[in-house]
Structure formats: C-alpha cells, structure tokens
Amino acid sequence: MSTRMVKHSFKDGNSCSREYKKGIKNISMHWHDCYEIDIVLAGSGETICNGKTFPIKRGLISLLAPTDFHEYRTEESLELVNIKFDEAEIDYELLSTFLSRKASIIYADDKRLEAIENVCGLIGTVETRRYAHKYNEKMIESLILLFLDCSSQEKHLELESELIQRAVMYINAHFGENPKMTTVAELCH
C-alpha cells in the first residue's frame, strides 16, 4: 500500500475552502499540504489516522494537520463537509491548542453537530474580497472552538514553552517540505 500527498491550491487568493461531498467510498492512505477538517454527516465504516482505527458514524470529526496520515474504509458511502486551510487562517493560540490534542478524531453529538453544520454553511459566503479572508478566518476559528468544546474532556499534550510550540507548529505546517532544523532554530530565536 502506498501513501500519497494531496496538494491543494486555494482559489481566488483565499487560504481556505469548503466542500460538501456525497457518495464518498474508500479513500487510500494520504496526507495533505494544508490543514484539513472532515465532518461526517452520514455513512459508516472506519477511518485510520496515524495508525489508530476509529469507527465512522454521523458526528465524526477529523482534525488533521499536514503531518497526519489518514484513510477511509467505508461500509456505507459517506456524506461529509471537507474544509481545508493553511496556518495563516487560525489564531496562534488556537492553532497551538489544535496541535496539542492527543487524538485527531472527535465525535459531536447531534446538538453540537447542528451548530457545526451551521458554521460550515457560512464559510465562503462573503464575496467581497476585502472582507472574505477575515470572515473565513473567524468562521474556521469558530469551528475549532466548537471542536475543542466537543473534546473538552480529553487531555491535551502540554508543550512547555512558546518556543517549542512555535517550532512544532512550523514543522507541522511545513512537513511536506522537509524543513531543516536550522530553519526551525532560526524561527525560534
């Protein structure tokens, strides 16, 4: 089995995208050159993320950094919302909290899933170029806050210093480019 990197280019100068997908069948092991969120609205099967297997069901949310390898093995075809964005879209503190999670998979109950679906529906709806970037940034940050609320019972990895957090964020964001440690060290000083 081979893995592949999925490259994504954002349209119209945006640094995020949202797409509703239906009829999704098996997706082989891959990773992305950006951050990705998948929100399962319907379907079943299993997803494998970084070697761990999770059941696919309504409410499954995959929060994926560029370093996360994942695949879908479906029993029933999936309906999902797929969101991709780069690190410039998220507040530093939120991104660091996002990256410190133990698991890349969470499950939302129906009430939270409804709120998440409503926010997803707002991404990309502002057409005025002057405001679209900031608007989309705030919508993605709102989604991440909702996800963190869903997983508030989970333990988070504690990264001791801001310098280490900055280094980990850079490595996660530039994983596919094979970053040099000297570059990471320069960024942190």
Side-chain angles (χ1 to χ4, degrees), residues 9-43:
S9 51
F10 298 104
K11 297 178 184 175
D12 303 324
N14 287 321
S15 50
C16 74
S17 66
R18 180 214 60 213
E19 185 178 358
Y20 287 91
K21 298 180 175 183
K22 290 184 177 187
I24 303 295
K25 298 283 185 185
N26 296 330
I27 300 174
S28 65
M29 184 68 69
H30 66 284
W31 77 98
H32 298 267
D33 63 347
C34 60
Y35 292 87
E36 180 184 38
I37 299 168
D38 281 335
I39 302 158
V40 175
L41 305 176

Side-chain angles (χ1 to χ4, degrees), residues 158-174:
E158 295 298 327
L159 297 178
E160 305 246 338
S161 78
E162 187 175 325
L163 291 177
I164 293 172
Q165 288 177 350
R166 191 176 300 151
V168 169
M169 286 174 39
Y170 182 84
I171 291 167
N172 278 330
H174 299 276

Side-chain angles (χ1 to χ4, degrees), residues 64-132:
L64 304 164
T67 53
D68 290 322
F69 290 76
H70 57 285
E71 70 179 290
Y72 289 110
R73 296 177 182 168
T74 60
E75 294 168 5
E76 293 177 53
S77 63
L78 303 180
E79 179 182 340
L80 57 82
V81 181
N82 175 262
I83 299 166
K84 294 183 180 83
F85 58 94
D86 68 27
E87 73 273 12
E89 283 299 318
I90 311 176
D91 171 77
Y92 172 82
E93 185 179 335
L94 271 179
L95 184 58
S96 130
T97 303
F98 175 83
L99 292 174
S100 70
R101 296 178 49 2
K102 276 177 68 174
S104 299
I105 305 294
I106 60 174
Y107 294 91
D109 60 27
D110 283 338
K111 181 179 177 184
R112 285 195 174 101
L113 187 58
E114 182 180 351
I116 289 166
E117 285 183 82
N118 289 336
V119 174
C120 288
L122 296 172
I123 295 173
T125 59
V126 170
E127 294 181 14
T128 307
R129 188 176 270 274
R130 179 177 177 189
Y131 303 111

